[in-house]
Amino acid sequence: MKKSLLVSLCASVLLSVVSPTFVSARQEEGQFADLPVVTLEEGRALTEDLSLVNENQAKYVFLFIGDGMGNIPVSAAEYYLGPDNGNEGNGVAQAQPLNFSQFPVIGLQNPTDADHYVPDSAATATSFGNGVKIDSNVIGLTPGFTEQTESVAEKAKAEGKSIGILSTVTLNHATPAAFYSNVEHRNNYYEIGEQMALSDFDYFAGGSLGGRTGEEGQPDLYEVIKENGYTVADTQEEFDAITADSGKVYAPAAVLSEADGSSMKYAMDRDQGEQTLADMVSKGVEVLGSNEEGFFMMTESGKIDWAEHANDAAATVHEVIDFQNAIQEAINFYYEHPEETLIVVTADHPTGGFTIGNSETGYNSYFHLIDNQAVSQEEFDVIFTEALEENPEMTFEDFVPVLEENFGFIIDLEATEEVLTQAEASEAEAEETDLMAVSALDLEELRYAFEQSKLEYEDRNAGQADVIKGYHSYLPISIASTRLVARKAGFGFTTVAHSPERVPVYAIGSGAAMFEGNFENNDIAYKLLAAMGMYEGGDTAVAPIEVTGKASADESTEEESTEETTEQSAEETSEESTEEETAEETTEEETTEEETTEEESAE
């Protein structure tokens, strides 16, 4: 770290020497020859402020996981918050950095599972929570279910630290479960809930539990949790009454999503005064902070991922912004304990193939258009379902006002001319239409999605086109609408599944320097343990960097075969050696016996 800082300082000195020549260069002739030459800003920092990083042991550790939060959701939120959003290419295109993207240390981690390049949350969370690469959909068990893993949270608990596990989705969902559970499949919700009750962790908060009642005859998981010494505080009054003296606590949000009844509401659907993830983190600090040994707190913003699955750019952006509010609670704590606090922010994987920029808007951006969307895709599902229940014969024409009210669309049912995209209008120098006007092509798609949504799931079209559009996974009219808003704003999605590109890791505080660089996701567990003084790393020297060649499964098999042969040869050698030693020992014993007999005879 000191060496890289020295190199950077040397580079800054060099730049200061050569920059006057660079700045004074100007066009001597031509159209712009008379314009003044721009003067570059003096004193611009060329290195990070490493005063926010120290090598002390971390007494307090915050791990924040933005589920599905790759690089694009962070950038989208920062651009949305920027001035004018770069509107129409004529505004000010300037990102407004989120709090965690201002951390002094930023690294990259590879999110792939042991058996899939496109990973899932169960295996990725196990990787950076337990330090072991495992197969997709599995939690806390190595490939072949030959060993169980132990999480950094469990290790920290054994060392006397208090533990908090928080999530905006169900607490027995894949990511939180990876820190206390070992099961063959992430969908074993009841079994995971039982292990949660037995974890002895100090503070759970956020969503409710999936599969609470299990099979017939099994008790409600809330009762199982209570039987294991937890206070379940599921009202606002009970939540407010929680203190450091409350003992073990599970605090599901008092108001949950109407769509599923178990996750916290999306930020954009939340009413004034309802609990936020920031409230949950703040209460966690209060509950855990009195422990002299410190604490480990894992906080997941799980619905960033859900919003991207649903191709809902508006909900995604607002969830990321809400996430930084929760992270700010940890940052405030950091400034009170700067020498003994570590904060790490990362994601398990990207989701949705989320992109910024599409061919319809060209190089223009209209990020402000997502403000036309009043509710999340999840909440719109409820609106559509209730409308259909009230009027089973409802037509698309009947439903158009609801689409306009909730998404800001301008729909002309009589329109016959195709609406130009903003890119086409700009290129043709034609008069641009209202940005939220729905083209004839999109109107046809909305009508089709509406009709498909009225059908029972098993009666809907299961063709390739509908699968690609996500109609097999989501209510067609809802995802068609959120995807249309996203496109108009200049965003795009390529899938309703995950993707495997590397995701950022942001760190500040004690041991933060370890999170710089490019590493595997399971390295995060080692780094967290090392920061808490529970793991001693090895030599950091690496082999010279060279061009990477193509690896193949055959080579891996050959290597494994070679290793097995070597091991087998070693075993055979060992066995032969043992046999020789045994023979020698036998000969020595026989010789000793003969000598003893001779001595006895002589006597």
Side-chain angles (χ1 to χ4, degrees):
M1 183 171 69
K2 292 179 180 178
K3 183 178 180 181
S4 62
L5 179 59
L6 180 60
V7 171
S8 299
L9 290 173
C10 290
S12 67
V13 172
L14 179 61
L15 285 173
S16 67
V17 173
V18 300
S19 59
T21 304
F22 172 75
V23 172
S24 64
R26 57 173 297 164
Q27 184 178 352
E28 298 297 334
E29 297 180 2
Q31 181 181 359
F32 304 108
D34 295 332
L35 293 179
V37 177
V38 66
T39 302
L40 295 183
E41 178 184 342
E42 291 186 7
R44 191 179 182 91
L46 300 180
T47 60
E48 296 291 347
D49 179 4
L50 297 179
S51 67
L52 301 176
V53 179
N54 66 71
E55 297 179 357
N56 297 342
Q57 184 170 309
K59 180 177 179 180
Y60 309 105
V61 175
F62 294 88
L63 173 62
F64 287 92
I65 300 170
D67 200 311
M69 192 182 73
N71 282 295
I72 299 303
V74 176
S75 297
E78 294 182 335
Y79 298 162
Y80 168 77
L81 292 173
D84 299 330
N85 304 308
N87 184 23
E88 302 180 31
N90 299 315
V92 178
Q94 180 179 324
Q96 185 75 359
L98 298 173
N99 55 12
F100 58 87
S101 65
Q102 299 174 60
F103 285 4
V105 175
I106 300 179
L108 282 175
Q109 52 109 334
N110 173 35
T112 57
D113 295 342
D115 62 342
H116 283 81
Y117 283 115
V118 179
D120 90 305
S121 296
T124 49
T126 298
S127 290
F128 53 65
N130 297 248
V132 181
K133 290 268 191 180
I134 65 168
D135 294 344
S136 294
N137 294 312
V138 180
I139 295 176
L141 296 172
T142 56
F145 310 137
T146 56
E147 295 176 291
Q148 63 175 317
T149 65
E150 185 179 25
S151 74
V152 294
E154 291 169 316
K155 292 178 186 295
K157 181 66 177 178
E159 291 294 319
K161 290 186 181 294
S162 294
I163 307 298
I165 303 294
L166 295 71
S167 179
T168 56
V169 300
T170 50
L171 266 295
N172 54 350
H173 210 260
T175 300
F179 289 83
Y180 62 78
S181 182
N182 307 85
V183 292
E184 294 183 5
H185 200 283
R186 57 182 292 172
N187 290 346
N188 296 352
Y189 294 119
Y190 194 86
E191 183 182 356
I192 294 171
E194 290 179 311
Q195 293 182 24
M196 171 182 162
L198 295 170
S199 69
D200 202 36
F201 287 177
D202 303 272
Y203 178 70
F204 290 96
S208 181
L209 297 174
R212 271 178 58 178
T213 55
E215 298 177 359
E216 187 176 351
Q218 290 181 309
D220 187 307
L221 282 173
Y222 275 22
E223 295 304 316
V224 176
I225 288 171
K226 290 177 182 177
E227 289 172 2
N228 283 274
Y230 284 87
T231 296
V232 177
D234 56 358
T235 69
Q236 184 68 58
E237 294 72 22
E238 291 172 334
F239 180 80
D240 292 339
I242 296 171
T243 68
D245 298 323
S246 297
K248 296 187 297 185
V249 175
Y250 171 38
V255 180
L256 297 166
S257 163
E258 188 177 353
D260 59 45
S262 59
S263 65
M264 294 181 71
K265 284 185 174 183
Y266 276 105
M268 65 186 299
D269 297 332
R270 199 168 52 223
D271 293 328
Q272 187 70 30
E274 291 179 349
Q275 291 158 309
T276 67
L277 185 60
D279 293 333
M280 300 298 182
V281 173
S282 177
K283 181 63 72 173
V285 170
E286 180 184 350
V287 171
L288 308 175
S290 62
N291 187 345
E292 289 298 319
E293 298 299 323
F295 60 73
F296 173 87
M297 184 190 299
M298 189 290 293
T299 302
E300 179 202 24
S301 180
K303 298 185 84 165
I304 296 173
D305 173 72
W306 291 15
E308 291 174 289
H309 275 297
N311 290 180
D312 188 342
T316 300
V317 167
H318 288 298
E319 285 301 291
V320 173
I321 294 171
D322 191 66
F323 192 35
Q324 78 156 343
N325 293 336
I327 294 169
Q328 188 62 43
E329 296 295 328
I331 293 172
N332 294 341
F333 183 88
Y334 163 81
Y335 281 119
E336 294 174 1
H337 308 272
E339 298 302 315
E340 21 182 28
T341 301
L342 170 66
I343 307 173
V344 177
V345 181
T346 190
D348 44 4
H349 51 70
T351 300
F354 191 19
T355 62
I356 300 175
N358 63 55
S359 56
E360 293 184 54
T361 59
Y363 291 96
N364 294 335
S365 302
Y366 308 93
F367 303 138
H368 65 290
L369 292 185
I370 65 173
D371 291 336
N372 287 287
Q373 185 175 325
V375 297
S376 70
Q377 173 265 350
E378 178 182 273
E379 182 64 20
F380 193 71
D381 286 354
V382 176
I383 292 172
F384 175 84
T385 302
E386 291 178 348
L388 190 61
E389 288 175 352
E390 291 178 8
N391 180 14
E393 303 302 318
M394 179 175 61
T395 65
F396 179 70
E397 287 72 16
D398 295 333
F399 196 63
V400 162
V402 181
L403 288 170
E404 292 180 323
E405 177 184 357
N406 287 282
F407 294 100
F409 298 141
I410 298 173
I411 298 176
D412 181 4
L413 292 168
E414 304 299 324
T416 56
E417 293 185 8
E418 184 62 64
V419 175
L420 294 178
T421 66
Q422 299 305 315
E424 290 170 334
S426 178
E427 185 174 340
E429 297 184 354
E431 182 178 346
E432 294 184 357
T433 57
D434 191 291
L435 293 170
M436 292 305 292
V438 175
S439 70
L441 182 64
D442 288 327
L443 182 60
E444 180 183 348
E445 186 60 37
L446 288 174
R447 186 186 294 275
Y448 173 75
F450 171 84
E451 296 299 339
Q452 286 292 303
S453 299
K454 290 179 65 177
L455 301 174
E456 295 294 333
Y457 180 82
E458 57 272 13
D459 296 328
R460 294 176 192 165
N461 185 357
Q464 182 182 11
D466 281 21
V467 169
I468 291 173
K469 290 180 289 190
Y471 291 178
H472 67 301
S473 300
Y474 294 90
L475 190 68
I477 187 59
S478 297
I479 192 170
S481 299
T482 56
R483 188 184 288 114
L484 180 55
V485 171
R487 280 173 30 216
K488 287 184 172 296
F491 297 119
F493 293 90
T494 63
T495 179
V496 293
H498 296 167
S499 56
E501 62 268 26
R502 290 180 180 271
V503 294
V505 182
Y506 311 86
I508 185 174
S510 304
M514 288 186 289
F515 294 88
E516 184 179 23
N518 188 16
F519 43 85
E520 293 294 321
N521 58 359
N522 58 316
D523 284 320
I524 293 176
Y526 291 96
K527 297 173 190 292
L528 290 171
L529 290 172
M532 292 186 284
M534 290 186 276
Y535 180 78
E536 184 175 350
D539 188 357
T540 58
V542 296
I545 299 172
E546 298 178 345
V547 173
T548 302
K550 168 68 176 172
S552 71
D554 291 339
E555 289 176 4
S556 298
T557 304
E558 287 173 9
E559 288 176 6
E560 290 173 5
S561 177
T562 302
E563 288 175 3
E564 289 174 3
T565 303
T566 303
E567 290 175 3
Q568 186 176 350
S569 299
E571 289 175 2
E572 290 174 354
T573 303
S574 176
E575 288 175 4
E576 290 173 1
S577 175
T578 303
E579 288 174 1
E580 290 174 1
E581 290 174 0
T582 304
E584 289 176 2
E585 289 173 1
T586 302
T587 305
E588 288 176 1
E589 288 175 3
E590 289 175 352
T591 303
T592 303
E593 287 176 2
E594 289 175 1
E595 290 175 351
T596 304
T597 304
E598 290 174 0
E599 288 175 2
E600 288 176 351
S601 300
E603 291 176 353

